[in-house]
Amino acid sequence: MEIKKISDYIWEIPATEKEGMRVPARIYATEKLLHEMDSGVFEQITNVACLPGIQKYAYCMPDGHQGYGFPIGGVAAFSKEDGVISPGGIGFDINCGMRLIRTDLTVSEVLPRIRELVDLLFKTVPAGVGSKGLMKLSVEELKQVMIRGVDWCIESGFGWERDRERIEENGRISGADPSKVSEKAISRGISQLGTLGSGNHYLEVQIATPENIFDKSMAKALGIFENQAVIMVHCGSRGFGHQVGSDYLRIFDTAMKKYGIVVRDRELACAPFNSPEGQDYFKAMKCAANMAFANRQVIVHRLREVFSEVFRREPEDMGMDIVYDVAHNIAKIETHEVDGVEKELVVHRKGSTRCFGPGRAELPEIYRKTGQPVIIGGSMETGSYLLVGTEKAMSETFGSTMHGSGRTMSRAAAKKKVTGSEIKKKMEEEGIIVKSTSMTGLAEEAGFAYKNISEVVDTMEMAGVSRKVVRLKPIGNIKG
DNA sequence: ATGTAC
């Protein structure tokens, strides 16, 4: 496939490269990262470029790797009038996302208690495949979670009023309709609120060491200081969102025949955004997105309780505010400029993060000047990043950047190279206390199975799309 | 990612 170099960090596959491409594909990567990408990424991103109503470019971020239909690390915006919505462009784990909590605690206060913290967090936050929460919700309550997300949590005692504005969409996307969610999804979701899940989902205690703060004044504006302890939560909508995705993939299979949509890969199943099927999926997707925001909210409430127990102080007195909460797998209606005209678009981000620049109306007052905080999860061994969005992101990538490191190795390949207990031992030697429900899961998530997070983050920094604020080093990890 | 298959 012909790949044109646009700059040191942007590569383009022309629309002439494949029959049916409506727009070119653009890949953000260094030459090294580009060469490391699997060929499936190029096949998939050019398939996405063929979908009806796609605008400007089909994008792949530097953490891109092959996924279901669309690459993970993909961004695609479709016309609201004559474009489509596709579950493959959002991901099975709807609103899988990342939340960062700050504290007033320093490394010297937290380090002596880290084993105690990790043990208690592990006991308090259910993790692993099929994990069930400690809450008993009625169907009516789960429907309230679907409609009202974090608002339901705060009213039910799981959080603070001021948490709301520090979450994308205030933790509640309007237009969610539980009547569009199957009984099966409800029965799977009913016991899953407040649970971490498995795979790459985790809860991590991290440190902002002085050498890792890249922009001191920006860090201060986001509530970050030298040698501070912070907590990162990575999880999504569990089996609930997964079921919503599966249900609508089947519905879209027949809907495509009805609307005469032909796709290059069955995994690209989609429906016109304005069709009844497309609208139903969007309403169900919002239910799962609100459930995921609520899931992270309940987990954060629990971890505030754990910190309170260990440090014998109220969470408010330890400054345990949310820095921000971002969605990594979602579609949203957003206004962006296309060919000099403001248009409402259906922006699909799958393994990609919104990174709006300063001034956007969607940002809360506290971040209107800084730009949107962006939380990037690395592998459990190598650390994570807090970034901010830029003006350039708005004109270049529909206000989007990467979401994490991206895998370089399959789970099966990682398990062949190392055992879970070897990884656990190695991490302890590196100063990271880890506790997991699954030893094979630990092996699958080994740092070497992922791209170098700094290289990925630097790519988007050099491209001018997102700016580094701080790198966060893990000291304790709870993994599903 | 996922009651790792209907």
Side-chain angles (χ1 to χ4, degrees):
Chain A
M1 217 174 269
E2 189 205 335
I3 303 184
K4 280 195 333 202
K5 183 173 179 174
I6 304 295
S7 76
D8 285 346
Y9 308 99
I10 304 174
W11 308 82
E12 187 171 307
I13 306 174
T16 48
E17 198 58 29
K18 187 186 259 185
E19 181 80 38
M21 277 175 77
R22 295 166 193 261
V23 294
R26 277 206 166 181
I27 299 143
Y28 280 73
T30 57
E31 191 156 9
K32 179 166 172 275
L33 284 170
L34 184 80
H35 286 303
E36 283 168 8
M37 280 182 184
D38 43 310
S39 60
V41 167
F42 307 110
E43 196 59 47
Q44 290 190 324
I45 201 64
T46 47
N47 286 344
V48 172
C50 300
L51 291 174
I54 189 161
Q55 305 288 303
K56 279 170 91 170
Y57 303 103
Y59 295 93
C60 183
M61 296 294 138
D63 52 343
H65 53 113
Q66 194 174 345
Y68 182 92
F70 290 57
I72 295 156
V75 180
F78 299 92
S79 157
K80 206 178 152 201
E81 284 71 42
D82 47 25
V84 294
I85 187 165
S86 174
I90 292 161
F92 276 96
D93 190 4
I94 295 165
N95 192 6
C96 176
M98 203 65 92
R99 185 182 289 206
L100 183 66
I101 310 297
R102 70 176 300 289
T103 72
D104 289 333
L105 302 167
T106 61
V107 60
S108 56
E109 289 171 279
V110 173
L111 214 46
R113 319 294 293 271
I114 191 66
R115 277 184 195 276
E116 189 186 345
L117 266 175
V118 167
D119 281 345
L120 199 53
L121 285 167
F122 188 75
K123 271 185 211 154
T124 311
V125 181
V129 183
S131 56
K132 290 191 172 171
L134 308 167
M135 316 174 52
K136 285 198 169 69
L137 289 190
S138 65
V139 172
E140 195 40 52
E141 282 170 320
L142 182 60
K143 286 183 179 172
Q144 287 300 308
V145 169
M146 293 183 219
I147 298 167
R148 297 171 50 239
V150 163
D151 283 353
W152 179 88
C153 299
I154 292 170
E155 281 164 34
S156 307
F158 302 104
W160 307 338
E161 282 294 328
R162 65 177 185 272
D163 286 342
R164 205 178 268 118
E165 66 170 349
R166 291 146 184 268
I167 303 171
E168 258 188 55
E169 310 290 333
N170 296 315
R172 172 198 182 155
I173 302 181
S174 63
D177 181 354
S179 76
K180 306 302 179 190
V181 172
S182 71
E183 295 280 332
K184 200 172 173 185
I186 290 171
S187 74
R188 285 181 74 173
I190 197 117
S191 56
Q192 294 185 316
L193 198 64
T195 64
L196 203 52
S198 66
N200 64 358
H201 288 165
Y202 61 78
L203 195 169
E204 206 164 74
V205 181
Q206 307 168 337
I207 298 295
T209 59
E211 74 275 16
N212 282 336
I213 297 181
F214 306 104
D215 182 336
K216 250 182 169 173
S217 72
M218 189 64 89
K220 195 178 172 202
L222 303 187
I224 302 297
F225 59 87
E226 289 184 356
N227 294 313
Q228 178 185 24
V230 298
I231 310 123
M232 199 173 268
V233 180
H234 180 213
C235 67
S237 51
R238 308 287 333 290
F240 179 72
H242 194 275
Q243 191 62 47
V244 169
S246 305
D247 290 339
Y248 280 92
L249 276 169
R250 270 179 72 175
I251 293 167
F252 282 14
D253 239 5
T254 44
M256 279 201 297
K257 291 187 192 98
K258 179 172 152 191
Y259 297 111
I261 299 173
V262 179
V263 291
R264 301 187 70 99
D265 174 354
R266 202 175 166 189
E267 294 183 354
L268 294 166
C270 59
F273 181 70
N274 279 329
S275 67
E277 293 88 345
Q279 284 298 301
D280 285 355
Y281 170 64
F282 196 42
K283 288 169 189 165
M285 184 216 74
K286 288 171 171 180
C287 290
N290 286 338
M291 189 277 191
F293 283 133
N295 194 26
R296 293 195 282 276
Q297 184 66 32
V298 171
I299 289 171
V300 163
H301 178 74
R302 296 286 179 228
L303 73 84
R304 280 173 175 159
E305 288 178 337
V306 166
F307 271 69
S308 190
E309 195 174 326
V310 170
F311 293 101
R312 310 253 165 226
R313 286 156 73 185
E314 290 302 316
E316 289 91 337
D317 300 333
M318 291 183 281
M320 293 184 74
D321 270 293
I322 299 171
V323 175
Y324 208 55
D325 177 310
V326 295
H328 283 165
N329 281 1
I330 203 161
K332 291 188 188 185
I333 304 294
E334 293 171 4
T335 307
H336 291 279
E337 200 179 298
V338 180
D339 302 326
V341 183
E342 296 267 302
K343 278 174 102 171
E344 275 200 302
L345 304 176
V346 190
V347 182
H348 290 56
R349 297 192 182 90
K350 179 197 196 175
S352 163
T353 318
R354 192 185 78 174
C355 75
F356 282 178
R360 278 288 289 218
E362 288 93 336
L363 300 184
E365 193 65 38
I366 45 169
Y367 299 134
R368 199 63 65 75
K369 283 188 187 139
T370 59
Q372 186 203 307
V374 175
I375 307 162
I376 305 294
S379 79
M380 61 186 183
E381 276 184 277
T382 51
S384 300
Y385 280 84
L386 177 64
L387 321 171
V388 283
T390 68
E391 198 66 53
K392 201 171 180 188
M394 306 317 296
S395 55
E396 276 207 15
T397 58
F398 297 120
S400 314
T401 193
M402 77 247 116
H403 83 304
S405 315
R407 292 195 79 91
T408 52
M409 197 183 281
S410 71
R411 292 180 177 276
K415 274 187 286 195
K416 274 186 193 164
K417 284 194 80 164
V418 76
T419 67
S421 50
E422 281 165 0
I423 287 291
K424 190 179 163 77
K425 187 165 168 281
K426 182 168 171 276
M427 285 175 70
E428 297 224 355
E429 283 163 9
E430 289 164 357
I432 310 162
I433 307 302
V434 60
K435 208 150 177 167
S436 173
T437 58
S438 155
M439 274 300 172
T440 54
L442 268 185
E444 289 172 2
E445 291 300 318
F448 62 73
Y450 282 89
K451 297 181 197 185
N452 179 333
I453 183 72
S454 299
E455 230 177 292
V456 172
V457 167
D458 285 345
T459 302
M460 295 313 277
E461 168 108 5
M462 297 308 286
V465 171
S466 46
R467 279 180 50 207
K468 292 195 284 189
V469 179
V470 57
R471 177 181 177 142
L472 299 160
K473 182 198 172 311
I475 57 168
N477 179 297
I478 284 87
K479 219 197 67 58

